[in-house]
Amino acid sequence: MDGDGTSTQAPLWLPKYDGNEADPDPDLAAVRRYLLAADPDGRRMAAAVRRSIDMLLDGQHTGRYRWDQLYKTEKAHLGTLIEINLQREFGFADGRDMDYSIVGTDVDCKYSQTLGAWMIPPEALGHLLLVVWASDERSSWSAGLVRALPERLNNGGNRDAKKTLNAAGRQAVTWLFDRAPLQENMLLRLSEPDIDAIFSHKSGQRRVDELFLRAQGRRVSRTVVATVAMQEDYMKRVRYNGGSRSRLQPGGIVILGHYSSHGRIAEALGLPVPGPGESVSARLAEARPEHGAAPRVELDGREWVLAGPADPEQAVPKLPEI
């Protein structure tokens, strides 16, 4: 622990490999070192996984945001999208026999919606596998490396002769990132009445307004806005000059974005700080004695706090966009 009581330990999902030079699989160790040097905290891999899921849902054009809204044939394509987006993200060369060549080693990319259930074809026998799992519902993902050796595979197979890892094979996976956080699909966290209220509107602008009314205090990604708006110019629906920022302003709702000033406002009020492409909404009230020592922020020379149920609606000043 640091002196302020915060932990100095890495999150549980970060790699713990010590770089032992006596590794029995030096090619696996070299690929692992390369990937961790390129992506020490897993953000790039996580972004590629998130992008793949969002591409498959295609919320901007379909309004879909849940895995069970996809057709069976669509679900089968997620592994291909993850394979492609990882290659684009890291610039992997094509492999000679497998998907990628990483530091001169052929590596096959395998995705499964069920952790440990990767389907391994006969041609991958003996090769390194980059195994990936992700769950949008759990906002979690994993990636690891394992060599597909015969003793690590189950005897049975499907009609394509693909096999899965047995217990020894699953134990042999060298994890790069194990159940790491995936950027949240915020629509999965809203209640059914909230979702029904949002999508009940025919107007894309009104759906976005309803989203920010009902998702206060949560990070809302561009993808979520696109899914709700279902329009090409979806981010215009958030901004001032006719978007939700100006439409909700009379009711005291502010929508914070990825501006430095907005980040400071979020920190002062104890709200999540929006990252790139994210927005966070909240209703504010002008500070009064009964608010006591509640966190506050100064806007237009007046102090504001997060509004409670008893606070009346009142117009909030326009936020700076710097």
Side-chain angles (χ1 to χ4, degrees):
M1 293 281 185
D2 285 338
D4 61 359
T6 58
S7 174
T8 57
Q9 293 183 338
L12 294 177
W13 51 268
L14 282 174
K16 302 176 180 64
Y17 182 72
D18 60 6
N20 184 356
E21 294 301 327
D23 195 296
D25 193 333
D27 287 342
L28 184 152
V31 170
R32 190 179 193 280
R33 283 194 297 269
Y34 175 87
L35 291 174
L36 291 178
D39 192 18
D41 58 9
R43 291 185 185 181
R44 295 175 67 187
M45 280 195 183
V49 171
R50 176 76 267 168
R51 188 159 56 249
S52 301
I53 295 171
D54 292 339
M55 287 174 65
L56 193 62
L57 291 168
D58 192 20
Q60 180 181 344
H61 300 105
T62 67
R64 299 179 305 187
Y65 61 93
R66 297 194 319 265
W67 182 258
D68 62 12
Q69 292 173 318
L70 296 170
Y71 295 113
K72 183 178 179 180
T73 51
E74 291 177 306
K75 294 176 181 177
H77 288 301
L78 182 55
T80 301
L81 288 174
I82 287 176
E83 173 195 326
I84 292 169
N85 283 320
L86 285 173
Q87 187 166 29
R88 287 175 176 171
E89 176 64 36
F90 292 94
F92 300 139
D94 288 337
R96 184 181 60 187
D97 299 309
M98 299 290 102
D99 294 324
Y100 313 138
S101 176
I102 304 176
V103 289
T105 298
D106 263 19
V107 178
D108 212 32
C109 182
K110 294 298 172 193
Y111 166 79
S112 175
Q113 188 188 357
T114 302
L115 187 61
W118 304 284
M119 300 301 295
I120 302 165
E123 59 269 23
L125 190 65
H127 286 283
L128 278 182
L129 308 177
L130 173 60
V131 291
V132 182
W133 163 84
S135 170
D136 208 9
E137 290 76 15
R138 299 182 188 178
S139 300
S140 184
W141 69 283
S142 297
L145 295 166
V146 65
R147 190 171 292 278
L149 300 177
E151 63 269 23
R152 294 174 177 173
L153 303 179
N154 286 308
N155 290 328
N158 66 6
R159 59 187 174 186
D160 296 324
K162 293 181 180 179
K163 298 183 178 182
T164 55
L165 293 174
N166 58 24
R170 295 190 298 272
Q171 185 66 30
V173 175
T174 299
W175 292 109
L176 299 165
F177 305 98
D178 187 9
R179 282 159 286 199
L182 182 69
Q183 184 187 33
E184 184 180 67
N185 178 351
M186 190 273 304
L187 291 173
L188 295 176
R189 304 293 173 257
L190 294 180
S191 68
E192 189 172 335
D194 284 337
I195 289 292
D196 289 345
I198 290 167
F199 286 98
S200 68
H201 298 290
K202 293 183 179 180
S203 160
Q205 180 63 69
R206 291 197 64 191
R207 289 195 297 270
V208 174
D209 293 347
E210 195 76 38
L211 169 69
F212 285 112
L213 280 169
R214 291 177 178 269
Q216 293 182 42
R218 296 177 179 270
R219 290 186 178 93
V220 176
S221 69
R222 291 172 61 95
T223 302
V224 167
V225 174
T227 300
V228 170
M230 286 187 276
Q231 295 174 337
E232 293 300 322
D233 56 351
Y234 56 90
M235 287 308 291
K236 182 180 179 181
R237 307 302 160 195
V238 180
R239 304 183 186 116
Y240 287 115
N241 299 320
S244 294
R245 279 202 175 105
S246 55
R247 289 166 61 88
L248 300 180
Q249 189 180 355
I253 302 289
V254 294
I255 301 176
L256 307 174
H258 190 54
Y259 298 99
S260 297
S261 61
H262 291 202
R264 290 191 292 270
I265 292 170
E267 287 179 344
L269 294 173
L271 293 167
V273 176
E278 293 181 333
S279 305
V280 175
S281 64
R283 188 169 75 89
L284 304 186
E286 195 168 356
R288 300 189 302 276
E290 55 264 37
H291 290 125
R296 57 198 62 208
V297 66
E298 184 176 320
L299 300 172
D300 273 5
R302 295 178 288 165
E303 288 192 327
W304 298 80
V305 299
L306 291 178
D311 290 309
E313 290 187 0
Q314 63 183 119
V316 72
K318 182 177 179 180
L319 300 182
E321 294 184 311
I322 54 174

